[in-house]
Amino acid sequence: LSLYSSPARETKYVENPQTQLEEGVSHLRHVMEPYTAWSCIDDSLSQKLSHYMKVLCSGFFSEGYEFLQNPPAGFYPRLGVIGFAGIVGLFLARGSKVKKLVYPAGLVGIGASMYYPQQAAAVAKVAGTQLYDWSLQGYIAVESLWKDS
């Protein structure tokens, strides 16, 4: 037995108010609930979709897994530099939404073209051809509108 008596503790549970982020996530979960519940309603449908997804993705995932298990020499350092370039682009892109799209993509493209110049040249060639075609189509459309009026 204790020689000293301890005072009775009165505890009271106080719930912390929800932050704006928590409220947003809660709202998103409530909005998405019918769609997530739909996938669990029909077990046969989910089994069929699961089978089709396994068939479709088995080749892609197995090849990707094998590639990551036996990567070419210097793959992970290159991947790190390219990823770091994207993070630097996000850091530099403060302000405008256009900057947040252009800077990371541009820096990742520059980083990737340093390590894979042949693939970058091929992508640039195709992109340049497409850009030229689109600009020519736009020029023809504007010219036809100008002549009509």
Side-chain angles (χ1 to χ4, degrees):
L1 293 175
S2 174
L3 297 175
Y4 303 103
S5 63
S6 61
R9 295 187 182 192
E10 294 182 26
T11 59
K12 185 178 179 182
Y13 176 73
V14 177
E15 188 171 321
N16 291 334
Q18 282 190 338
T19 63
Q20 191 174 11
L21 176 65
E22 290 172 334
E23 289 177 6
V25 170
S26 175
H27 178 70
L28 181 65
R29 288 181 68 199
H30 287 295
V31 168
M32 294 304 293
E33 188 175 16
Y35 303 108
T36 57
W38 172 79
S39 66
C40 299
I41 291 174
D42 190 7
D43 287 336
S44 64
L45 178 64
S46 67
Q47 288 176 353
K48 287 177 186 176
L49 287 176
S50 174
H51 175 70
Y52 289 128
M53 290 301 291
K54 285 179 186 175
V55 169
L56 288 174
C57 297
S58 64
F60 175 74
F61 288 125
S62 65
E63 289 175 8
Y65 179 75
E66 289 174 13
F67 179 79
L68 291 176
Q69 289 299 319
N70 302 315
F75 174 73
Y76 288 121
R78 290 177 180 181
L79 184 66
V81 169
I82 294 169
F84 183 71
I87 292 171
V88 168
L90 285 173
F91 180 73
L92 294 175
R94 293 185 180 172
S96 140
K97 291 181 181 181
V98 174
K99 283 183 184 178
K100 290 180 182 178
L101 181 66
V102 172
Y103 282 19
L107 288 177
V108 164
I110 290 170
S113 66
M114 283 183 357
Y115 289 114
Y116 303 103
Q118 292 174 342
Q119 290 86 350
V123 168
K125 187 176 180 180
V126 171
T129 305
Q130 287 292 327
L131 187 62
Y132 176 75
D133 288 344
W134 290 340
S135 64
L136 190 60
Q137 289 173 0
Y139 177 77
I140 291 170
V142 169
E143 186 181 36
S144 67
L145 288 173
W146 186 267
K147 285 183 179 179
D148 290 343
S149 64

